[in-house]
Structure formats: structure tokens, C-alpha cells
Amino acid sequence: MCTGGCAKCLGTVLIPLAVLCTLANILLFFPGGKVAQENAHITNEVWYFGGILGSGVLMIFPALVFLGLQNNDCCGCCGNQSCGKRFAMFSSIIFAAVGLLGAGYCFILSAVALNKGPKCNTGSSWTYPFMDGDYLTDHSLWNKCLAPENIVVWHLTLFSLLLIMSLIQGVLCGIQVVNGLFGTLCGDCKCCGCCG
């Protein structure tokens, strides 16, 4: 497969993942699927916008660059037809690094949130009753959260989705780093036979 075509495939997958990460982060602002009575009732990691900024906005830029690489028809430089393609592929490595940073940010926030557990009403106050991640293996501890209803499942599901999707995004951006390196060294297969 041509390096430009490979990048286009990666960009096509990154766009829906970025949208899904953004939606998952937005849903976390509604603990248990209901409107929070106060902002203080929402888990702190939600306010760091890992899914919206990290795996959402920061992922859109690399995805759009990857989508446009196959159709980059730069005229070249110094009489070398593939020079423009090579520079475009090199620039895609930089954008892939931005995507890796965004995905890493979301991954780390999601892992911390999963370990910490949700913020919920334990009867006496709104607090984090599961500070050590013990609730992940012992479901009987979930009864500590009295409100909002089903907050543990809500928290666990959405942050797990963010964790998995950001991991996939990171892998895809890593693939583009390697693909971009090949494209920089060899050019696109339409311009140079060494990669085709």
C-alpha cells in the first residue's frame, strides 16, 4: 500500500474515534446519566477534558493531515518530483507526534480516574470512597455510593472506553510515524518504486 493511502486509512479511523472520545467525555458531565445538581458532584478528572481536548480536538489535526496526504500534489523542488510528497510525509510525523501526546493525555487521565473511582454521595458527604482502585475487583464495595444511581457502572464504562479508544489512537499515530518515515525516505509509491 502506498504511504499516502495508508495515512488516509489511518485518518479515516481516527475521525470517528475522536468524535466518540468527545461524546464519552461529554457524557461524564452527567453522572449516572442525570444532570448533576452541583459542579462539585462531578469527578475531577472529567474537568481535565481528556476525551474532548486530548483524544478529541488534538486528534482532529493529525487525522485531517493524514486524510490529505494521498492527494497532496505538490510540484516538487529542485527538479525532484517526489520532494513535495516527502516533505508532506515528514510533516505527518510531527502531526502524528501531536496525536500521540493527545492520546497519551487521555489515556493517563482515564487510568487515574479508573483507579480513583467516581465521586459520589456516601450518605454523609460527596467524596471518593474508592481511592485505591479496590472497587474494580470487589463489586460489593459499589454499595458505598448511594447517589447518583449507577454512578460506578457509568464511570467505569465511560472511562474504560476512553482508555481503550485513546490506546487505539496512540497505536494508529505510532503506525503513522513509521509510515511517515518510509514516505520521507522513499516518497509515495506513485513517485518512487522503492516502496511499491
Side-chain angles (χ1 to χ4, degrees):
M1 178 184 282
C2 301
T3 55
C6 178
K8 184 176 181 181
C9 289
L10 296 174
T12 303
V13 175
L14 285 174
I15 294 282
L17 283 174
V19 171
L20 289 173
C21 286
T22 302
L23 289 175
N25 199 146
I26 290 171
L27 287 174
L28 283 165
F29 281 104
F30 302 95
K34 298 181 175 114
V35 177
Q37 294 174 354
E38 294 179 32
N39 289 344
H41 296 172
I42 297 172
T43 304
N44 289 342
E45 285 73 24
V46 177
W47 293 102
Y48 297 137
F49 303 106
I52 295 172
L53 291 178
S55 286
V57 174
L58 278 179
M59 202 54 66
I60 292 295
F61 297 115
L64 292 176
V65 168
F66 300 167
L67 285 171
L69 283 176
Q70 187 177 24
N71 299 327
N72 185 348
D73 58 354
C74 182
C75 60
C77 57
C78 304
N80 187 349
Q81 288 284 330
S82 66
C83 179
K85 287 268 189 195
R86 289 172 195 245
F87 180 76
M89 291 307 288
F90 175 74
S91 68
S92 78
I93 297 172
I94 296 167
F95 280 96
V98 170
L100 276 169
L101 286 174
Y105 177 69
C106 183
F107 183 86
I108 291 168
L109 275 179
S110 300
V112 168
L114 284 171
N115 185 53
K116 193 175 180 182
K119 189 177 206 178
C120 62
N121 187 350
T122 58
S124 57
S125 65
W126 285 82
T127 185
Y128 295 95
F130 318 115
M131 292 302 282
D132 299 323
D134 50 357
Y135 76 104
L136 295 170
T137 54
D138 188 359
H139 299 312
S140 64
L141 295 175
W142 294 10
N143 295 329
K144 288 183 180 180
C145 284
L146 304 177
E149 190 177 345
N150 298 321
I151 185 61
V152 178
V153 175
W154 187 262
H155 177 90
L156 194 58
T157 302
L158 291 173
F159 272 115
S160 294
L161 285 172
L162 283 173
L163 186 82
I164 292 166
M165 289 188 290
S166 63
L167 180 64
I168 293 169
Q169 288 176 328
V171 168
L172 294 176
C173 286
I175 290 170
Q176 179 53 33
V177 168
V178 174
N179 182 50
L181 200 57
F182 279 120
T184 301
L185 297 175
C186 299
D188 197 61
C189 62
K190 294 177 184 173
C191 302
C192 171
C194 69
C195 295

